[in-house]
Coordinates of all heavy atoms in Angstrom, one line a residue:
P36 N 29.7 0.7 -16.9 CA 30.3 2.0 -17.0 C 31.5 2.1 -16.1 O 31.6 1.6 -15.0 CB 29.2 3.0 -16.7 CG 28.0 2.2 -16.5 CD 28.3 0.7 -16.4
F37 N 32.4 2.9 -16.5 CA 33.7 3.2 -15.8 C 33.6 4.6 -15.1 O 33.1 5.5 -15.6 CB 34.9 3.2 -16.7 CG 35.1 1.8 -17.4 CD1 34.7 1.6 -18.6 CD2 35.8 0.9 -16.7 CE1 34.9 0.4 -19.2 CE2 36.0 -0.4 -17.3 CZ 35.6 -0.6 -18.5
D38 N 34.2 4.6 -13.9 CA 34.3 5.9 -13.2 C 35.4 6.8 -13.8 O 35.3 8.0 -13.8 CB 34.6 5.7 -11.7 CG 33.5 5.0 -11.0 OD1 32.3 5.2 -11.4 OD2 33.8 4.3 -10.0
R39 N 36.5 6.2 -14.3 CA 37.6 6.9 -14.9 C 38.1 6.2 -16.1 O 38.2 5.0 -16.1 CB 38.7 7.0 -13.9 CG 38.4 7.6 -12.5 CD 38.1 9.1 -12.6 NE 37.9 9.7 -11.4 CZ 36.7 10.0 -10.8 NH1 35.7 9.6 -11.4 NH2 36.6 10.6 -9.6
I40 N 38.5 7.0 -17.1 CA 39.1 6.5 -18.3 C 40.3 7.4 -18.6 O 40.2 8.6 -18.6 CB 38.2 6.4 -19.5 CG1 37.0 5.5 -19.3 CG2 39.0 6.0 -20.8 CD1 36.0 5.5 -20.4
I41 N 41.5 6.8 -18.8 CA 42.7 7.5 -19.1 C 43.3 7.0 -20.4 O 43.6 5.8 -20.5 CB 43.8 7.4 -18.0 CG1 43.2 7.9 -16.7 CG2 45.1 8.1 -18.4 CD1 44.1 7.7 -15.5
L42 N 43.4 7.9 -21.4 CA 44.0 7.6 -22.6 C 45.5 7.9 -22.6 O 45.9 9.0 -22.0 CB 43.4 8.3 -23.8 CG 41.9 8.1 -24.1 CD1 41.5 8.9 -25.3 CD2 41.7 6.6 -24.4
T43 N 46.4 7.0 -23.1 CA 47.8 7.3 -23.1 C 48.3 7.6 -24.5 O 49.4 8.2 -24.6 CB 48.6 6.2 -22.5 OG1 48.3 5.0 -23.2 CG2 48.2 6.0 -21.0
A44 N 47.5 7.3 -25.5 CA 47.9 7.7 -26.8 C 47.0 8.9 -27.2 O 45.9 9.0 -26.8 CB 47.6 6.5 -27.8
A45 N 47.6 9.8 -28.0 CA 46.9 11.1 -28.3 C 46.1 11.0 -29.7 O 46.7 11.1 -30.7 CB 47.9 12.2 -28.4
P46 N 44.8 10.8 -29.6 CA 44.0 10.9 -30.8 C 43.8 12.4 -31.2 O 44.1 13.3 -30.4 CB 42.7 10.3 -30.5 CG 42.6 10.6 -29.0 CD 44.0 10.5 -28.4
R47 N 43.4 12.6 -32.4 CA 43.0 14.0 -32.8 C 41.8 14.5 -32.1 O 41.6 15.6 -31.8 CB 42.9 14.1 -34.3 CG 44.2 14.0 -35.0 CD 44.1 14.2 -36.5 NE 45.3 13.9 -37.1 CZ 45.9 14.6 -38.0 NH1 45.2 15.6 -38.5 NH2 47.0 14.3 -38.5
Q48 N 40.9 13.5 -31.8 CA 39.7 13.8 -30.9 C 39.3 12.5 -30.3 O 39.6 11.4 -30.7 CB 38.6 14.3 -31.7 CG 38.0 13.4 -32.8 CD 36.9 14.1 -33.6 OE1 36.9 15.3 -33.8 NE2 36.0 13.3 -34.1
V49 N 38.6 12.6 -29.1 CA 38.2 11.4 -28.4 C 37.1 10.7 -29.1 O 36.1 11.3 -29.4 CB 37.8 11.8 -26.9 CG1 37.3 10.6 -26.2 CG2 39.0 12.4 -26.2
P50 N 37.2 9.4 -29.3 CA 36.1 8.7 -29.9 C 34.8 8.7 -29.1 O 34.9 8.6 -27.8 CB 36.6 7.2 -30.0 CG 38.1 7.3 -29.9 CD 38.4 8.5 -29.1
E51 N 33.7 9.0 -29.7 CA 32.4 9.1 -29.0 C 32.1 7.9 -28.2 O 31.5 8.0 -27.1 CB 31.3 9.3 -30.0 CG 31.2 10.7 -30.6 CD 30.9 11.8 -29.5 OE1 30.0 11.5 -28.7 OE2 31.5 12.9 -29.6
E52 N 32.5 6.7 -28.6 CA 32.2 5.5 -27.9 C 32.8 5.5 -26.5 O 32.2 4.9 -25.5 CB 32.8 4.3 -28.6 CG 32.2 4.0 -30.0 CD 32.8 4.9 -31.1 OE1 33.8 5.6 -30.9 OE2 32.2 4.8 -32.2
L53 N 33.9 6.2 -26.3 CA 34.5 6.2 -24.9 C 33.7 7.1 -24.0 O 33.5 6.7 -22.8 CB 35.9 6.8 -25.0 CG 37.0 5.9 -25.6 CD1 38.3 6.6 -25.7 CD2 37.1 4.6 -24.8
F54 N 33.1 8.1 -24.5 CA 32.2 8.9 -23.6 C 31.0 8.1 -23.1 O 30.5 8.3 -22.0 CB 31.7 10.2 -24.4 CG 32.7 11.2 -24.6 CD1 33.2 11.5 -25.9 CD2 33.3 11.9 -23.5 CE1 34.1 12.5 -26.1 CE2 34.3 12.9 -23.7 CZ 34.7 13.1 -25.0
G55 N 30.5 7.2 -24.0 CA 29.4 6.4 -23.6 C 29.7 5.3 -22.5 O 28.9 4.8 -21.9
Q56 N 31.0 5.1 -22.3 CA 31.5 4.1 -21.4 C 31.6 4.7 -19.9 O 31.9 4.0 -19.0 CB 32.8 3.6 -21.8 CG 32.8 2.8 -23.1 CD 32.0 1.5 -22.9 OE1 32.2 0.8 -21.9 NE2 31.2 1.1 -23.9
L57 N 31.5 6.1 -19.8 CA 31.6 6.7 -18.5 C 30.4 6.6 -17.7 O 29.3 6.8 -18.2 CB 32.0 8.2 -18.7 CG 33.5 8.4 -19.0 CD1 33.7 9.9 -19.2 CD2 34.4 7.9 -17.8
S58 N 30.5 6.4 -16.4 CA 29.4 6.5 -15.4 C 29.1 7.9 -15.1 O 29.8 8.9 -15.5 CB 29.7 5.7 -14.2 OG 30.8 6.4 -13.5
Q59 N 27.9 8.1 -14.4 CA 27.6 9.5 -14.0 C 28.7 10.1 -13.1 O 29.3 9.3 -12.3 CB 26.3 9.4 -13.2 CG 25.7 10.7 -12.8 CD 25.4 11.6 -14.0 OE1 25.0 11.1 -15.0 NE2 25.5 12.9 -13.8
D60 N 29.1 11.3 -13.3 CA 30.2 12.0 -12.7 C 31.6 11.3 -13.0 O 32.6 11.5 -12.3 CB 30.1 12.0 -11.1 CG 28.9 12.8 -10.7 OD1 28.6 13.9 -11.3 OD2 28.2 12.4 -9.7
G61 N 31.6 10.6 -14.1 CA 32.9 10.0 -14.6 C 33.8 11.0 -15.2 O 33.4 12.1 -15.6
I62 N 35.1 10.7 -15.2 CA 36.1 11.6 -15.8 C 36.9 10.8 -16.8 O 37.3 9.7 -16.6 CB 37.0 12.1 -14.6 CG1 36.3 12.9 -13.7 CG2 38.3 12.8 -15.2 CD1 37.1 13.4 -12.5
L63 N 37.2 11.5 -17.9 CA 38.0 10.9 -19.0 C 39.2 11.9 -19.2 O 38.9 13.1 -19.3 CB 37.2 10.8 -20.3 CG 37.9 10.1 -21.4 CD1 36.9 9.4 -22.3 CD2 38.7 11.0 -22.3
V64 N 40.4 11.4 -19.1 CA 41.6 12.3 -19.3 C 42.3 11.8 -20.6 O 42.6 10.6 -20.7 CB 42.5 12.2 -18.1 CG1 43.8 13.0 -18.3 CG2 41.8 12.7 -16.8
A65 N 42.7 12.7 -21.5 CA 43.3 12.3 -22.7 C 44.2 13.4 -23.2 O 43.8 14.6 -23.2 CB 42.3 12.0 -23.8
P66 N 45.4 13.1 -23.8 CA 46.2 14.0 -24.5 C 45.5 14.1 -25.9 O 45.3 13.1 -26.5 CB 47.6 13.4 -24.6 CG 47.3 12.0 -24.5 CD 46.1 11.8 -23.7
I67 N 45.3 15.3 -26.4 CA 44.6 15.5 -27.7 C 45.6 16.3 -28.6 O 46.1 17.3 -28.2 CB 43.3 16.2 -27.6 CG1 42.4 15.5 -26.6 CG2 42.6 16.4 -28.9 CD1 41.9 14.2 -27.0
G68 N 45.8 15.8 -29.9 CA 46.6 16.6 -30.8 C 47.2 15.8 -31.9 O 47.2 14.6 -31.8
K69 N 47.8 16.6 -32.8 CA 48.4 15.9 -34.0 C 49.8 15.4 -33.7 O 50.1 14.3 -34.2 CB 48.5 17.0 -35.1 CG 47.2 17.5 -35.6 CD 47.5 18.6 -36.7 CE 46.2 19.3 -37.1 NZ 46.5 20.4 -38.0
S70 N 50.6 16.1 -32.9 CA 51.9 15.6 -32.6 C 52.2 16.0 -31.2 O 51.5 16.7 -30.5 CB 52.9 16.3 -33.6 OG 53.0 17.7 -33.2
S71 N 53.4 15.5 -30.7 CA 53.7 15.8 -29.3 C 53.9 17.3 -29.0 O 53.8 17.7 -27.9 CB 54.9 15.0 -28.9 OG 56.1 15.4 -29.7
H72 N 54.2 18.0 -30.1 CA 54.5 19.5 -29.9 C 53.2 20.3 -29.9 O 53.1 21.4 -29.6 CB 55.4 20.0 -31.0 CG 56.7 19.4 -31.0 ND1 57.6 19.6 -29.9 CD2 57.4 18.6 -31.8 CE1 58.7 19.0 -30.2 NE2 58.6 18.3 -31.3
E73 N 52.1 19.6 -30.3 CA 50.8 20.3 -30.4 C 49.7 19.7 -29.6 O 48.5 19.8 -29.9 CB 50.3 20.3 -31.9 CG 51.3 21.0 -32.8 CD 50.8 20.9 -34.3 OE1 49.7 20.4 -34.5 OE2 51.6 21.2 -35.1
Q74 N 50.1 19.0 -28.5 CA 49.1 18.3 -27.7 C 48.6 19.2 -26.5 O 49.3 20.0 -26.0 CB 49.7 17.0 -27.1 CG 49.9 16.0 -28.1 CD 50.5 14.7 -27.6 OE1 50.8 14.6 -26.4 NE2 50.8 13.8 -28.4
V75 N 47.3 18.9 -26.2 CA 46.7 19.5 -25.1 C 46.1 18.4 -24.2 O 45.5 17.5 -24.7 CB 45.5 20.4 -25.5 CG1 44.8 21.0 -24.3 CG2 46.0 21.5 -26.4
L76 N 46.4 18.5 -22.9 CA 45.9 17.5 -22.0 C 44.5 17.9 -21.6 O 44.3 19.1 -21.1 CB 46.8 17.3 -20.7 CG 46.4 16.3 -19.8 CD1 46.4 14.9 -20.4 CD2 47.3 16.3 -18.5
V77 N 43.5 17.1 -21.8 CA 42.1 17.5 -21.6 C 41.4 16.6 -20.6 O 41.6 15.3 -20.7 CB 41.3 17.5 -22.9 CG1 39.8 17.9 -22.7 CG2 41.9 18.3 -24.0
R78 N 40.7 17.2 -19.6 CA 39.9 16.4 -18.7 C 38.5 16.6 -18.9 O 38.0 17.8 -18.9 CB 40.3 16.7 -17.2 CG 39.5 15.8 -16.3 CD 39.8 16.1 -14.9 NE 39.3 17.4 -14.4 CZ 39.3 17.8 -13.2 NH1 39.8 17.2 -12.2 NH2 38.7 19.0 -12.9
Y79 N 37.7 15.6 -19.3 CA 36.3 15.7 -19.5 C 35.6 15.2 -18.3 O 36.0 14.2 -17.7 CB 35.9 14.9 -20.7 CG 36.5 15.3 -22.0 CD1 37.6 14.7 -22.5 CD2 35.9 16.3 -22.8 CE1 38.2 15.1 -23.7 CE2 36.5 16.7 -24.0 CZ 37.6 16.1 -24.4 OH 38.2 16.5 -25.6
R80 N 34.5 15.8 -17.9 CA 33.7 15.4 -16.7 C 32.3 15.3 -17.1 O 31.7 16.3 -17.7 CB 33.9 16.3 -15.5 CG 33.1 15.9 -14.3 CD 33.2 16.9 -13.2 NE 34.6 17.0 -12.7 CZ 35.2 16.3 -11.7 NH1 34.4 15.5 -11.0 NH2 36.4 16.5 -11.3
K81 N 31.6 14.2 -16.8 CA 30.2 14.0 -17.1 C 29.4 14.3 -15.9 O 29.6 13.7 -14.9 CB 30.0 12.6 -17.6 CG 28.5 12.3 -18.0 CD 28.4 10.8 -18.4 CE 27.0 10.5 -18.8 NZ 26.9 9.1 -19.2
T82 N 28.5 15.3 -16.0 CA 27.7 15.7 -14.9 C 26.3 15.8 -15.4 O 25.9 16.7 -16.2 CB 28.1 17.1 -14.3 OG1 29.5 17.0 -14.0 CG2 27.3 17.4 -13.0
G83 N 25.4 14.9 -15.0 CA 24.1 14.9 -15.6 C 24.1 14.6 -17.1 O 24.8 13.7 -17.5
K84 N 23.5 15.5 -17.8 CA 23.5 15.3 -19.3 C 24.6 16.3 -19.9 O 24.7 16.4 -21.1 CB 22.2 15.6 -19.9 CG 21.1 14.6 -19.5 CD 19.8 14.9 -20.2 CE 18.8 13.8 -19.7 NZ 17.5 14.0 -20.4
E85 N 25.3 17.0 -19.1 CA 26.3 17.9 -19.6 C 27.7 17.4 -19.4 O 28.0 16.6 -18.6 CB 26.2 19.2 -18.8 CG 24.9 20.0 -19.0 CD 25.0 21.4 -18.3 OE1 26.1 21.7 -17.7 OE2 24.0 22.1 -18.4
W86 N 28.6 17.9 -20.3 CA 30.0 17.6 -20.3 C 30.8 18.9 -20.0 O 30.4 19.9 -20.6 CB 30.5 17.0 -21.6 CG 30.0 15.6 -21.8 CD1 28.8 15.3 -22.5 CD2 30.6 14.4 -21.4 NE1 28.7 13.9 -22.5 CE2 29.7 13.4 -21.8 CE3 31.7 14.1 -20.7 CZ2 30.0 12.1 -21.6 CZ3 32.0 12.8 -20.5 CH2 31.2 11.8 -20.9
T87 N 31.8 18.9 -19.2 CA 32.7 20.0 -19.1 C 34.1 19.5 -19.4 O 34.4 18.3 -19.3 CB 32.7 20.6 -17.7 OG1 33.0 19.7 -16.7 CG2 31.3 21.2 -17.3
S88 N 34.9 20.4 -19.9 CA 36.3 20.0 -20.2 C 37.2 21.1 -19.6 O 36.9 22.3 -19.6 CB 36.5 19.8 -21.7 OG 36.4 21.1 -22.4
E89 N 38.4 20.6 -19.2 CA 39.5 21.5 -18.8 C 40.7 21.2 -19.6 O 41.1 20.0 -19.7 CB 39.8 21.2 -17.3 CG 38.7 21.6 -16.4 CD 39.0 21.3 -14.9 OE1 40.2 21.1 -14.6 OE2 38.1 21.2 -14.1
N90 N 41.3 22.2 -20.2 CA 42.4 22.0 -21.1 C 43.7 22.5 -20.4 O 43.7 23.6 -19.8 CB 42.3 22.8 -22.4 CG 41.0 22.4 -23.1 OD1 40.6 21.3 -23.0 ND2 40.5 23.3 -23.9
H91 N 44.8 21.8 -20.5 CA 46.0 22.2 -20.0 C 47.1 22.0 -21.1 O 47.3 20.9 -21.5 CB 46.4 21.3 -18.8 CG 47.7 21.8 -18.1 ND1 47.8 22.9 -17.4 CD2 48.9 21.2 -18.2 CE1 49.0 23.0 -16.9 NE2 49.7 22.0 -17.4
R92 N 47.6 23.1 -21.6 CA 48.5 23.0 -22.8 C 49.9 23.1 -22.2 O 50.3 23.9 -21.4 CB 48.3 24.2 -23.7 CG 49.2 24.1 -24.9 CD 48.8 25.2 -25.9 NE 49.4 24.9 -27.1 CZ 48.8 24.4 -28.2 NH1 47.5 24.2 -28.1 NH2 49.4 24.1 -29.3
V93 N 50.7 22.1 -22.7 CA 52.2 22.1 -22.4 C 53.0 22.2 -23.7 O 52.8 21.5 -24.6 CB 52.5 20.8 -21.7 CG1 54.0 20.8 -21.4 CG2 51.7 20.7 -20.4
D94 N 53.8 23.2 -23.7 CA 54.7 23.4 -24.9 C 56.0 22.5 -24.6 O 56.8 22.9 -23.7 CB 55.1 24.9 -25.0 CG 55.9 25.1 -26.3 OD1 56.5 24.1 -26.8 OD2 56.0 26.2 -26.7
H95 N 56.1 21.4 -25.3 CA 57.2 20.5 -25.0 C 58.5 21.0 -25.4 O 59.6 20.6 -24.9 CB 56.9 19.1 -25.7 CG 55.7 18.4 -25.2 ND1 55.7 17.7 -24.1 CD2 54.5 18.3 -25.7 CE1 54.5 17.2 -23.9 NE2 53.7 17.6 -24.9
R96 N 58.6 22.0 -26.3 CA 59.9 22.5 -26.7 C 60.4 23.5 -25.6 O 61.6 23.5 -25.4 CB 59.7 23.3 -28.0 CG 59.4 22.3 -29.2 CD 59.0 23.0 -30.4 NE 57.6 23.5 -30.2 CZ 56.8 23.9 -31.1 NH1 57.3 24.0 -32.3 NH2 55.6 24.2 -30.9
S97 N 59.6 24.3 -25.0 CA 60.0 25.2 -24.0 C 59.7 24.7 -22.6 O 60.2 25.2 -21.6 CB 59.4 26.5 -24.2 OG 58.0 26.5 -23.9
R98 N 58.9 23.6 -22.5 CA 58.5 23.0 -21.2 C 57.8 24.0 -20.3 O 57.8 23.9 -19.1 CB 59.7 22.4 -20.5 CG 60.3 21.3 -21.2 CD 61.4 20.6 -20.5 NE 61.9 19.5 -21.3 CZ 63.0 18.8 -21.0 NH1 63.6 19.1 -19.9 NH2 63.4 17.9 -21.8
E99 N 57.0 24.9 -21.0 CA 56.2 25.8 -20.2 C 54.8 25.3 -20.2 O 54.3 24.7 -21.1 CB 56.2 27.2 -20.9 CG 57.5 27.9 -20.8 CD 57.5 29.3 -21.4 OE1 56.4 29.8 -21.7 OE2 58.5 29.8 -21.6
S100 N 54.1 25.6 -19.1 CA 52.7 25.2 -18.9 C 51.8 26.5 -19.2 O 52.2 27.6 -18.8 CB 52.4 24.7 -17.5 OG 52.5 23.3 -17.5
K101 N 50.7 26.3 -19.8 CA 49.7 27.3 -19.9 C 48.6 27.1 -19.0 O 48.4 26.1 -18.4 CB 49.2 27.4 -21.4 CG 50.2 27.4 -22.4 CD 51.0 28.7 -22.4 CE 52.0 28.8 -23.5 NZ 52.9 29.8 -23.4
N102 N 47.8 28.2 -18.7 CA 46.7 28.1 -17.8 C 45.6 27.2 -18.3 O 45.4 26.9 -19.5 CB 46.1 29.5 -17.6 CG 47.0 30.4 -16.9 OD1 47.8 30.0 -16.1 ND2 46.8 31.7 -17.1
I103 N 44.8 26.7 -17.3 CA 43.7 25.8 -17.6 C 42.5 26.6 -18.1 O 42.2 27.7 -17.5 CB 43.3 25.0 -16.4 CG1 44.5 24.0 -16.0 CG2 42.0 24.2 -16.6 CD1 44.3 23.2 -14.8
Q104 N 41.8 26.1 -19.1 CA 40.6 26.7 -19.6 C 39.5 25.7 -19.4 O 39.6 24.6 -19.8 CB 40.8 27.1 -21.1 CG 39.5 27.6 -21.7 CD 39.7 27.8 -23.2 OE1 40.7 27.4 -23.8 NE2 38.8 28.5 -23.8
I105 N 38.4 26.2 -18.8 CA 37.2 25.3 -18.5 C 36.1 25.7 -19.5 O 35.8 26.8 -19.6 CB 36.7 25.4 -17.1 CG1 37.9 25.1 -16.1 CG2 35.5 24.6 -16.8 CD1 37.6 25.3 -14.7
T106 N 35.5 24.7 -20.1 CA 34.5 24.9 -21.1 C 33.4 23.9 -20.9 O 33.6 22.7 -20.7 CB 35.1 24.6 -22.5 OG1 36.3 25.4 -22.7 CG2 34.1 25.0 -23.6
N107 N 32.1 24.3 -21.0 CA 31.0 23.4 -21.1 C 30.9 22.9 -22.5 O 30.9 23.7 -23.4 CB 29.7 24.1 -20.6 CG 29.7 24.3 -19.2 OD1 30.2 23.5 -18.4 ND2 29.0 25.3 -18.7
I108 N 30.7 21.6 -22.7 CA 30.5 21.1 -24.0 C 29.2 20.3 -24.1 O 28.6 19.9 -23.1 CB 31.7 20.2 -24.5 CG1 32.0 19.1 -23.4 CG2 32.9 21.0 -24.7 CD1 33.0 18.1 -23.9

């Protein structure tokens, strides 16, 4: 298992197989979205049997950042 996984290509969703590759307290960071104008940078953290995610949306056209939203998944 890996402590950290960083995706540099943006899938529409993270493949389940990658989550299985993380160690306990592992972190996976990935840009998620259809195009560069609709991407959200997401950090997933594995804690026990739970996953949490933090989303950071960047509007590439205006170069503005939006607030982070934390969600249990």
Side-chain angles (χ1 to χ4, degrees):
F37 296 97
D38 293 329
R39 306 288 186 264
I40 296 175
I41 299 174
L42 296 182
T43 58
R47 290 183 186 222
Q48 64 183 27
V49 176
E51 285 293 320
E52 296 82 8
L53 289 178
F54 289 114
Q56 295 292 319
L57 280 175
S58 63
Q59 186 62 30
D60 295 321
I62 294 174
L63 187 149
V64 177
I67 306 294
K69 297 178 190 177
S70 71
S71 63
H72 297 294
E73 300 175 10
Q74 290 179 1
V75 176
L76 185 62
V77 182
R78 181 177 75 170
Y79 298 94
R80 181 184 297 265
K81 182 180 182 180
T82 306
K84 294 183 180 182
E85 292 187 3
W86 289 92
T87 57
S88 68
E89 296 179 16
N90 301 333
H91 184 75
R92 182 177 197 100
V93 177
D94 185 341
H95 295 283
R96 292 169 283 194
S97 67
R98 297 186 179 173
E99 291 181 13
S100 264
K101 305 296 181 188
N102 292 334
I103 293 176
Q104 175 185 11
I105 300 173
T106 309
N107 285 329
I108 53 174

